[in-house]
């Protein structure tokens, strides 16, 4: 019981930190993320200490950003697992999940665009790749696709390319949510078409 209560308190604190992180980032822009002073700002706003924040977010800004994406996926999972569980088409499942992911991004559009620009900085390339792969792995697991063969990796890697293209569209273009969803669907269709043509090409020459 005490462990559950402690875990709940930690989760509540992490959410409070994230809320302040979003507010400050939206107000100050990309430049605030280039300084650790945002942790001090959050601590002051929450009447706590930077050390307490660093106990739950060891890597400071990078861990808070990762947590933001994790919470998105939890919300998507809770919302969509029942909706798509009877859908047989994997492509429709992925389109649905990807569309919902960008719905989540649009809920904090200004903040999300700042974060994606931050992730493009050279020093954040490892973090960007980690978040991208975790998201794509989540997409396929939610779609109930967990093969034991090599396609486990190929599908996630190829989806990460689609996801990156969609993120670039979202970050650097003025698009509506519906336009973004349409773009995601088209990107998935084009990718599937390319994969199919490659497969046909391979079969033609090697069978």
């Amino acid at each position: 019981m005490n462990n559950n209560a402690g875990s709940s308190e930690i989760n509540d604190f992490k959410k409070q930190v994230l809320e302040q992180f979003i507010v400050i980032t939206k107000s100050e822009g990309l430049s605030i993320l280039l300084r650790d002073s945002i942790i001090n700002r959050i601590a002051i706003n929450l009447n706590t200490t930077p050390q307490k924040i660093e106990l739950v977010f060891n890597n400071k800004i990078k861990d808070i950003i990762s947590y933001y994406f994790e919470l998105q996926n939890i919300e998507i999972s809770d919302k969509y697992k029942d909706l798509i569980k009877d859908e047989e088409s994997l492509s429709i499942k992925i389109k649905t999940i990807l569309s919902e992911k960008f719905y989540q991004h649009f809920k904090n559009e200004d903040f999300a665009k700042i974060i994606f620009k931050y992730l493009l900085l050279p020093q954040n390339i490892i973090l960007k790749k980690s978040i991208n792969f975790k998201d794509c792995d989540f997409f396929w697991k939610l779609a109930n696709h967990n093969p034991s063969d090599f396609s486990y990796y190929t599908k996630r890697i190829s989806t990460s390319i689609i996801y990156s293209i969609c993120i670039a569209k979202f970050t650097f273009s003025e698009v509506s949510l519906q336009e973004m969803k349409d773009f995601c669907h088209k990107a998935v269709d084009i990718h599937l078409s390319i994969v199919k043509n490659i497969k046909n090409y391979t079969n033609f020459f090697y069978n």
Side-chain angles (χ1 to χ4, degrees):
M1 184 69 178
N2 290 335
N3 288 337
N4 290 336
S7 178
S8 178
E9 288 180 4
I10 291 172
N11 287 333
D12 288 344
F13 180 67
K14 290 174 72 174
K15 289 178 181 178
Q16 290 172 9
V17 171
L18 176 60
E19 287 172 2
Q20 287 298 315
F21 182 78
I22 292 173
V23 169
I24 296 171
T25 300
K26 287 171 68 175
S27 174
E28 301 290 335
L30 180 61
S31 61
I32 192 67
L33 299 181
L34 304 179
R35 309 188 296 272
D36 280 344
S37 60
I38 190 171
I39 301 298
N40 294 328
R41 292 271 298 277
I42 294 171
I44 291 170
N45 290 353
L46 294 179
N47 193 28
T48 187
T49 64
Q51 290 77 18
K52 184 176 179 180
I53 293 174
E54 290 168 19
L55 281 175
V56 293
F57 293 112
N58 302 98
N59 290 319
K60 302 179 184 178
I61 292 173
K62 293 182 179 181
D63 277 359
I64 297 174
I65 291 174
S66 295
Y67 181 63
Y68 166 74
F69 284 92
E70 289 171 14
L71 286 186
Q72 278 189 336
N73 290 344
I74 291 172
E75 186 171 342
I76 293 171
S77 181
D78 291 341
K79 182 177 179 181
Y80 267 73
K81 60 185 177 183
D82 291 330
L83 182 63
I84 62 174
K85 67 178 181 180
D86 295 325
E87 175 59 57
E88 294 184 1
S89 171
L90 274 175
S91 64
I92 292 177
K93 287 182 178 181
I94 294 300
K95 287 177 182 178
T96 302
I97 297 166
L98 192 57
S99 294
E100 177 61 20
K101 186 68 175 181
F102 278 95
Y103 169 74
Q104 296 293 328
H105 291 322
F106 267 93
K107 286 168 63 176
N108 275 299
E109 183 176 359
D110 293 340
F111 170 75
K113 288 184 175 182
I114 293 171
I115 293 303
F116 285 130
K117 290 175 182 176
Y118 174 77
L119 291 174
L120 286 174
L121 298 175
Q123 63 267 35
N124 298 323
I125 188 67
I126 295 176
L127 176 63
K128 176 180 177 294
K129 288 182 177 180
S130 174
I131 289 173
N132 190 299
F133 187 83
K134 285 180 180 178
D135 272 353
C136 292
D137 184 48
F138 164 76
F139 298 160
W140 284 105
K141 285 181 177 176
L142 189 59
N144 199 28
H145 181 270
N146 296 290
S148 57
D149 59 13
F150 195 65
S151 67
Y152 177 94
Y153 299 99
T154 57
K155 287 186 181 296
R156 283 153 176 77
I157 292 171
S158 60
T159 304
S160 72
I161 297 173
I162 296 173
Y163 188 36
S164 295
I165 293 171
C166 291
I167 287 172
K169 177 74 172 179
F170 168 80
T171 305
F172 298 106
S173 302
E174 293 296 328
V175 292
S176 67
L177 174 58
Q178 187 56 53
E179 288 172 333
M180 195 65 236
K181 287 182 177 180
D182 292 342
F183 183 84
C184 291
H185 291 188
K186 186 178 291 185
V188 172
D189 286 337
I190 291 173
H191 170 71
L192 291 175
S193 177
I194 292 172
V195 170
K196 182 178 179 180
N197 288 335
I198 292 174
K199 186 176 180 179
N200 290 339
Y201 178 86
T202 303
N203 289 338
F204 177 79
F205 281 98
Y206 295 99
N207 289 331

